[in-house]
Amino acid sequence: MIDRRALLSRSSLLLAGSAVPGAAIAQARTPAARTLPPFYADIEERTFRWFWETARRDNGLVPDRYPSPSFCSIAAVGFALTAYPIGVERGWITRAEARDLTLTTLRFFWETPQGPEPEGKIGHAGFFYHFIDMISGARFRDVELSSVDTTLFLMGALFAGQYYDREDAREREIRDLAHKLYARADWNFFRSDGRKAVSMGWHPGRGLIERNWDGYNEGMFVYILGMGAPEHPLPVDSWEAWTAPYERFWRGEGPMRHLAFAPLFPLHYSHIWIDFRGIRDAAMRNAGFDYFENNRRATLSNQAYCIANPMGWDGYGAQSWGLAACDGPGNFRLDYKGERREFFGYSARGPIDEPDGRDDGTITPSASLGSLPFAPEIVIPTAQALRREHGDLLYGKYGFHDAFNPSFRWIDKPVERGRVDPAKGWYGTDYIGIDQGPILLQAANYRSDFVWQRMRSCTPIRKGLKAAGFTGGWLS
């Protein structure tokens, strides 16, 4: 039996600085001088190269994963559209190269047919299917029309509209297409059966998915973009539907009290494009801190859970942590240290005492490195340790492979993906776009507010935040 109160106490001690050596610095806010050690630049460039080198030049589509053969993830495209300008500013590609691929991408999403038919369409009602064919852009198999993945794509498109600001015909067209793609989305389509919250998706012939985006998870920016829309906005009370379940998401006490969601990566997504420092809605005004501080506490809590390691997995520790959605060895029930344990393939993971918690010993570097702006003092040493301890088993041509599991050492089991080292455990061999994105983009935010700075002047973001009741800070 897991003693949840003991885990929360451990988390509180970590923040206070009395649980493990060196943890006292976790109490400090993000430092003003935001520099990164030289080794981090290699992580950033390799991760950028994943987007730049896997994108098709004829339509801009980016695979869900690589090197395994894959369909396109529209969310990965959104990350890519934001990644290209980082490559420009760092001198890895030219502005003209980034501009031209961005324009190709936006033209393709604007021109490829939409409609309610179950096959042959890229989307419907201004939204796009979660996965699409890498060549035609048609819906892949029976995946859903996705509200959140379309939001990720639109965030990338809107960022492109902010970045390409020159009076050049191609850059003007990028701005125009970004606006038209965003304006076309009918956000109320996902409430068309009378519900107040936004549905996670829709299937032709079956209708809206029953589950909504609400509580605290990756759906946060769905509402902000939806409420800021110029033509089909969500109603003004939509934010109340999002925050209504908050009470069951609170975890921790005192300096560790925070809105929790077990897989850490969803806490990154909205925060990649929206700077939540110093702005608060009604819920955060009542809590006494902002969502950025909330995610700092969630990051520290994720690390604290791995240090406490209540399930006794191998390889967890202060510099080996990060539970989120990622690849895994596969679906198995095996004997581990005298107990029957369950392992999973691609799945969401996180502390078992938090909403949607699941822990099978699998760690993803995206969870820790994507948290860089929130807690650099624990993330930077973790990034360095992961490279040092795992070498080319984990770190390759495009940076960190998606995940690893030091407890899974069964070389006789047919793993779903990846490879098993008999001494060090299972390692993924793919890179996944939605896990690569936070590593690169959050490093850019940490260095210079790169994405945040441009999106603070994005009219839909400002409008959506104000409609949701946010005040203070840069929004004022």
Side-chain angles (χ1 to χ4, degrees):
M1 177 69 71
I2 302 298
D3 186 344
R4 181 171 172 274
R5 288 179 297 178
L7 282 178
L8 293 175
S9 176
R10 178 63 178 261
S11 298
S12 297
L13 287 171
L14 272 173
L15 190 62
S18 57
V20 295
I25 55 175
Q27 195 172 16
R29 294 289 292 183
T30 303
R34 293 174 295 175
T35 58
L36 287 169
F39 80 87
Y40 219 97
D42 187 65
I43 297 173
E44 294 169 271
E45 183 171 2
R46 290 185 186 218
T47 307
F48 166 79
R49 293 289 173 192
W50 186 89
F51 290 103
W52 186 246
E53 294 179 8
T54 64
R56 288 183 62 93
R57 291 310 191 260
D58 59 347
N59 58 19
L61 299 189
V62 177
D64 175 60
R65 61 173 64 237
Y66 180 89
S68 292
S70 179
F71 37 76
C72 168
S73 158
I74 63 167
V77 176
F79 283 116
L81 291 170
T82 313
Y84 302 152
I86 295 173
V88 173
E89 298 300 318
R90 300 293 291 275
W92 300 328
I93 57 173
T94 68
R95 186 180 181 103
E97 288 174 320
R99 176 203 64 196
D100 290 350
L101 184 54
T102 296
L103 184 54
T104 295
T105 308
L106 297 183
R107 282 174 175 169
F108 185 81
F109 275 84
W110 178 249
E111 295 169 359
T112 304
Q114 293 209 352
E117 297 83 4
E119 297 179 357
K121 304 296 183 182
I122 195 173
H124 180 51
F127 287 80
F128 300 96
Y129 287 106
H130 190 161
F131 299 132
I132 57 178
D133 183 84
M134 279 291 294
I135 299 174
S136 69
R139 179 192 187 195
F140 180 76
R141 295 183 180 173
D142 62 348
V143 299
E144 83 284 7
L145 190 75
S146 176
S147 50
V148 74
D149 291 275
T150 298
T151 299
L152 283 159
F153 166 75
L154 290 174
M155 279 293 192
L158 289 171
F159 177 79
Q162 294 295 117
Y163 178 78
Y164 299 100
D165 58 359
R166 295 180 181 175
E167 286 307 311
D168 164 277
R170 288 176 172 266
E171 296 203 9
R172 286 198 303 270
E173 187 177 356
I174 287 173
R175 296 194 295 272
D176 179 60
L177 286 171
H179 171 77
K180 290 195 294 188
L181 283 160
Y182 174 53
R184 183 172 65 176
D186 183 358
W187 299 87
N188 290 296
F189 176 80
F190 290 98
R191 303 170 60 254
S192 56
D193 61 357
R195 68 183 73 192
K196 292 184 178 180
V198 175
S199 170
M200 289 187 171
W202 173 86
H203 290 91
R206 304 208 305 267
L208 296 176
I209 293 174
E210 182 178 353
R211 189 170 178 183
N212 298 323
W213 291 115
D214 56 18
Y216 197 62
N217 51 48
E218 66 264 45
M220 191 175 190
F221 54 2
V222 170
Y223 287 86
I224 292 169
L225 273 198
M227 296 176 74
E231 295 185 17
H232 309 286
L234 293 172
V236 293
D237 61 350
S238 296
W239 195 250
E240 296 175 11
W242 163 255
T243 61
Y246 268 15
E247 192 58 37
R248 64 183 179 86
F249 285 81
W250 286 106
R251 296 291 189 275
E253 300 173 357
M256 281 300 291
R257 178 170 166 78
H258 65 284
L259 288 165
F261 188 69
L264 196 57
F265 85 97
L267 306 188
H268 303 154
Y269 283 2
S270 298
H271 288 252
I272 287 172
W273 288 275
I274 303 173
D275 182 3
F276 285 99
R277 296 172 299 178
I279 64 173
R280 303 180 186 184
D281 64 352
M284 289 294 104
R285 286 192 290 272
N286 185 59
F289 52 91
D290 57 37
Y291 284 105
F292 183 91
E293 171 63 20
N294 185 87
N295 283 16
R296 175 173 173 77
R297 298 179 185 192
T299 300
L300 295 169
S301 181
N302 196 283
Q303 186 210 36
Y305 173 87
C306 290
I307 293 172
N309 193 13
M311 297 188 69
W313 297 115
D314 291 338
Y316 279 26
Q319 295 180 358
S320 185
W321 59 276
L323 308 183
C326 61
D327 275 345
N331 296 304
F332 301 97
R333 291 185 64 86
L334 300 168
D335 289 327
Y336 174 79
K337 296 182 179 179
E339 295 183 9
R340 199 70 168 168
R341 292 291 181 87
E342 192 169 6
F343 297 89
F344 305 94
Y346 187 88
S347 177
R349 297 167 170 87
I352 57 177
D353 62 325
E354 294 184 357
D356 285 11
R358 167 181 283 181
D359 180 11
D360 71 345
T362 303
I363 293 170
T364 174
S366 179
S368 52
L369 274 66
S371 301
L372 176 62
F374 306 127
E377 71 282 358
I378 65 172
V379 171
I380 295 170
T382 296
Q384 191 166 28
L386 291 176
R387 286 192 59 181
R388 181 181 65 246
E389 298 299 326
H390 301 277
D392 60 9
L393 286 169
L394 184 61
Y395 193 72
K397 179 180 180 180
Y398 294 125
F400 286 106
H401 293 288
D402 193 58
F404 65 102
N405 187 320
S407 300
F408 195 97
R409 299 192 183 95
W410 290 271
I411 60 175
D412 59 333
K413 303 300 179 186
V415 294
E416 183 176 299
R417 297 182 185 276
R419 55 183 168 171
V420 178
D421 181 278
K424 291 194 170 185
W426 174 86
Y427 288 86
T429 51
D430 273 346
Y431 304 92
I432 298 180
I434 62 170
D435 289 345
Q436 292 285 84
I439 294 175
L440 175 65
L441 275 51
Q442 288 289 55
N445 277 330
Y446 177 73
R447 284 184 182 276
S448 65
D449 289 8
F450 183 78
V451 182
W452 292 333
Q453 180 183 14
R454 287 158 179 82
M455 296 302 273
R456 284 196 292 260
S457 61
C458 181
T459 298
I461 299 298
R462 298 182 66 90
K463 181 180 176 182
L465 286 169
K466 290 182 178 180
F470 281 86
T471 59
W474 61 266
L475 194 58
S476 300

